[in-house]
Amino acid sequence: QVQLQESGPGLVKPSQTLSLTCTVSSGSITTQFYYWSWIRQPPGKGLEWMGAIYYSGSTYYSPSLKSRTSISRDTSKNQFTLQLSSVTPEDTAVYYCAREVRIGTIHEYGYWGQGTQVTISS
């Protein structure tokens, strides 16, 4: 069974760059045809898809976050990383990594990390 685990700082100062890593076990991030996604949930709000990196290395971003988001990977470590720049308190959220499958217009998230709380505060 695929397992995902987020890691990174729980507190980031405004204007800085948030950086989180997702370590994947019992499954390779280069396996066809999976997407490896970052999703967040601000307090009291719904889930927000931020972006993904495809098994091939192609990246996809939410239009609303594209200018501030970068997703990369280290295949030797079976990890993928989120960087969100110029953060504000509105970026405070629980951040999840997940494995995504797309079937037509349907997006399925079969495996999730446990989530990590990130607070933006000075």
Side-chain angles (χ1 to χ4, degrees):
Q1 176 157 326
V2 176
Q3 294 181 318
L4 299 91
Q5 177 67 57
E6 306 89 350
S7 60
L11 181 64
V12 180
K13 289 182 168 55
S15 81
Q16 293 188 341
T17 296
L18 179 163
S19 183
L20 296 174
T21 296
C22 183
T23 301
V24 179
S25 57
S26 300
S28 172
I29 61 173
T30 60
T31 299
Q32 298 178 343
F33 298 92
Y34 295 117
Y35 295 80
W36 301 91
S37 298
W38 286 100
I39 298 162
R40 69 180 181 179
Q41 186 168 29
K45 296 185 179 181
L47 294 169
E48 178 184 21
W49 180 82
M50 302 179 68
I53 187 163
Y54 198 33
Y55 79 97
S56 63
S58 299
T59 52
Y60 304 85
Y61 301 108
S62 167
S64 64
L65 296 170
K66 185 175 183 178
S67 64
R68 299 195 291 130
T69 307
S70 177
I71 297 175
S72 59
R73 67 180 184 175
D74 185 335
T75 57
S76 67
K77 296 180 180 179
N78 215 35
Q79 295 175 333
F80 61 106
T81 299
L82 169 74
Q83 290 192 310
L84 183 66
S85 63
S86 304
V87 296
T88 71
E90 286 67 41
D91 293 310
T92 294
V94 177
Y95 286 75
Y96 299 93
C97 56
R99 192 181 80 173
E100 177 185 351
V101 174
R102 297 182 182 181
I103 304 171
T105 58
I106 298 173
H107 297 204
E108 293 185 347
Y109 300 91
Y111 295 95
W112 294 72
Q114 65 182 23
T116 186
Q117 172 70 46
V118 179
T119 300
I120 311 302
S121 176
S122 55

